[in-house]
């Protein structure tokens, strides 16, 4: 992979840089794409140990309450822009269903090529504390390239402690995700710098420990008055690109499941005990 000179894009803060990658024959190993060759635009995922996923502030929503499609910026730890994620959903769903709505996120690289999709279908009872398998559990599918399944993320049974499992394209479990007991629905979230979702596995060797998805504290003004949310993903060492793409999908699902309705719920909070 060759990296072109870092350039600034109009309309972005000067400190944020954009990395444009070019495919290089023979660069990607089979382990990076779970037995295949990763799409060139996703090869950068194999090179970074950490991602930042930031839901952008919708000033239209802040000022008018008009519910807009969500968008994310995805950067490396240094703030270099790698991908953008843009939601597609209908206006009625955004108003009636808020964070429980079905959606399609299209994820673009810096050449504006679509490299991933994250899809969720609406379920009338999804997001319930004790999700019933196949009926109420939150789930997303992660596609990359956009016509091939890279993995799935499913909510699993728990008593309010958020738990998920990440599956491969054949529905075989790859990783488990377990969040904190205190879920940030307002005041509960004001007490913590980070809220950590541990990622481990019974089927994948993780000799240097598992990974983590963290909801990052972004300051009291942003937390209370806007819909901006920041996540940090720390990848388990050696995880292939499909697994990393699926962890990106897991972060988006966690956001919609637990934080998207934060302003609508006000200062309510939940603190429950796992099974």
């Amino acid at each position: 992979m060759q990296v072109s000179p870092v350039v600034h894009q109009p309309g972005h803060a000067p400190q944020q840089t954009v990395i444009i990658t070019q495919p290089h024959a023979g660069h990607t190993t089979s382990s990076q794409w779970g037995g295949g060759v990763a799409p060139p635009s996703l090869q950068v995922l194999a090179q970074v140990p950490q991602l930042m996923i930031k839901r952008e502030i919708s000033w239209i929503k802040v000022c008018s309450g008009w519910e807009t499609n969500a968008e994310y910026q995805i950067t490396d730890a240094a703030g270099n822009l790698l991908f953008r994620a843009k939601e597609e959903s209908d206006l009625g769903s955004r108003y009636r269903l808020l964070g429980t709505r079905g959606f399609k996120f299209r994820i673009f690289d810096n050449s504006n090529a679509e490299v991933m999709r994250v899809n969720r279908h609406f379920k009338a009872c999804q997001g319930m504390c004790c999700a019933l398998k196949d009926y109420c559990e939150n789930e997303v599918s992660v596609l990359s390239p956009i016509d091939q399944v890279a993995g799935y993320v499913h909510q699993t049974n728990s008593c309010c402690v958020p738990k998920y499992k990440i599956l491969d394209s054949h529905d075989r479990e790859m990783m488990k995700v377990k969040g904190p007991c205190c879920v940030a629905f307002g005041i509960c979230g004001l007490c913590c710098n980070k809220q950590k979702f541990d990622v481990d596995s019974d089927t994948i060797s993780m000799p240097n420990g598992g990974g983590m998805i963290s909801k990052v504290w972004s300051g009291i003004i942003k937390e209370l008055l806007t819909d901006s949310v920041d996540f940090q993903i720390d990848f388990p060492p050696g995880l292939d690109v499909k697994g990393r793409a699926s962890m990106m999908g897991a972060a988006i699902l966690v956001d919609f499941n637990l934080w998207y309705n934060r302003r609508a719920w006000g200062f309510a909070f939940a603190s429950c005990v796992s099974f």
Side-chain angles (χ1 to χ4, degrees):
M1 180 177 66
Q2 296 177 338
V3 180
S4 67
V6 174
V7 296
H8 294 291
Q9 287 188 338
H12 287 80
Q15 68 271 19
Q16 184 184 65
T17 55
V18 178
I19 293 180
I20 301 177
T21 59
Q22 300 294 334
H24 187 284
H27 175 80
T28 306
T29 64
S30 61
S31 64
Q32 291 175 346
W33 192 238
V37 177
S41 295
L42 288 181
Q43 290 180 9
V44 68
L45 281 181
Q47 310 300 323
V48 294
Q50 185 182 94
L51 287 181
M52 300 298 298
I53 300 182
K54 301 181 179 183
R55 176 148 46 95
E56 296 185 1
I57 297 174
S58 170
W59 291 111
I60 294 176
K61 181 177 178 180
V62 171
C63 296
S64 68
W66 185 266
E67 192 73 28
T68 60
N69 282 312
E71 295 189 14
Y72 295 89
Q73 287 191 354
I74 302 168
T75 70
D76 63 14
N80 299 313
L81 184 64
L82 303 178
F83 307 103
R84 287 188 178 88
K86 298 182 179 181
E87 180 192 5
E88 290 184 357
S89 62
D90 63 88
L91 180 62
S93 294
R94 293 197 300 272
Y95 268 95
R96 295 193 309 269
L97 306 175
L98 299 175
T100 66
R101 64 182 180 260
F103 57 68
K104 175 171 68 178
F105 271 95
R106 303 174 67 190
I107 300 177
F108 301 88
D109 64 12
N110 289 314
S111 64
N112 210 35
E114 185 176 0
V115 295
M116 284 178 57
R117 285 185 184 176
V118 178
N119 297 333
R120 180 174 76 170
H121 298 292
F122 169 70
K123 292 183 178 180
C125 57
Q126 69 183 359
M128 292 176 62
C129 189
C130 299
L132 300 175
K133 181 175 175 58
D134 298 330
Y135 295 100
C136 297
E137 63 181 16
N138 281 275
E139 58 184 5
V140 297
S141 57
V142 180
L143 292 83
S144 184
I146 58 175
D147 57 348
Q148 297 180 22
V149 174
Y152 303 94
V153 185
H154 286 216
Q155 179 189 13
T156 60
N157 272 327
S158 68
C159 188
C160 291
V161 172
K163 295 180 181 179
Y164 304 85
K165 58 184 177 182
I166 298 176
L167 312 176
D168 65 15
S169 57
H170 302 289
D171 281 331
R172 296 174 299 201
E173 184 177 303
M174 291 193 296
M175 292 171 282
K176 297 178 181 179
V177 182
K178 182 179 179 180
C181 181
C182 182
V183 182
F185 292 167
I187 288 178
C188 187
L190 301 180
C191 306
C192 306
N193 181 38
K194 277 187 180 180
Q195 297 193 40
K196 300 177 180 179
F197 292 71
D198 295 316
V199 179
D200 58 21
S201 176
D202 296 329
T203 58
I204 298 176
S205 176
M206 296 182 177
N208 297 319
M212 187 173 296
I213 299 172
S214 304
K215 190 271 182 186
V216 181
W217 173 253
S218 57
I220 193 167
I221 300 299
K222 287 181 68 176
E223 294 283 339
L224 289 182
L225 301 182
T226 76
D227 57 355
S228 176
V229 175
D230 297 348
F231 284 88
Q232 175 181 312
I233 299 179
D234 294 284
F235 295 117
L239 184 65
D240 64 39
V241 175
K242 279 187 175 180
R244 293 174 182 230
S246 296
M247 284 186 68
M248 290 170 59
I252 292 175
L253 178 59
V254 166
D255 182 21
F256 266 72
N257 190 18
L258 300 177
W259 274 277
Y260 193 86
N261 297 336
R262 177 183 56 197
R263 294 181 69 213
W265 291 330
F267 289 103
F269 67 90
S271 181
C272 307
V273 180
S274 174
F275 277 152

